[in-house]
Amino acid sequence: MALWKISVKSEVNKVGLRLEKGMFVEMATSFPSNPLTTNFSKNASVIEDLFKSKYGIELGHYVNTAYLTAEQIS
């Protein structure tokens, strides 16, 4: 099991969405591989749910490596 910190890389200010650099969520995965690049279809919805739960925002197509980074923390 691995714990990941999924963070916003840079500020995004679009109609109806504002992301600040440094916003993050923590995500546990069964395998020690980056959730932004491995099993993306499943992980993208989990990441979006985590951001919605913590910040009340829907990321939509912003769940990708252009806007987010993943760092394994354990």
Side-chain angles (χ1 to χ4, degrees):
M1 186 148 229
L3 183 62
W4 294 87
K5 180 179 178 182
I6 312 294
S7 304
V8 175
K9 285 183 179 181
S10 59
E11 184 177 303
V12 174
N13 192 5
K14 304 285 183 183
V15 176
L17 177 67
R18 180 165 178 86
L19 299 176
E20 296 288 339
K21 181 178 181 178
M23 293 171 88
F24 74 94
V25 294
E26 292 179 347
M27 176 183 182
T29 61
S30 301
F31 301 99
S33 52
N34 187 333
L36 290 172
T37 58
T38 304
N39 199 9
F40 182 75
S41 60
K42 177 186 172 194
N43 291 332
S45 63
V46 173
I47 292 167
E48 185 162 8
D49 289 345
L50 290 169
F51 270 91
K52 187 172 184 176
S53 176
K54 185 172 182 178
Y55 297 107
I57 57 175
E58 293 184 21
L59 295 179
H61 66 278
Y62 293 98
V63 180
N64 62 57
T65 56
Y67 298 99
L68 302 176
T69 186
E71 172 188 357
Q72 188 172 356
I73 53 179
S74 74

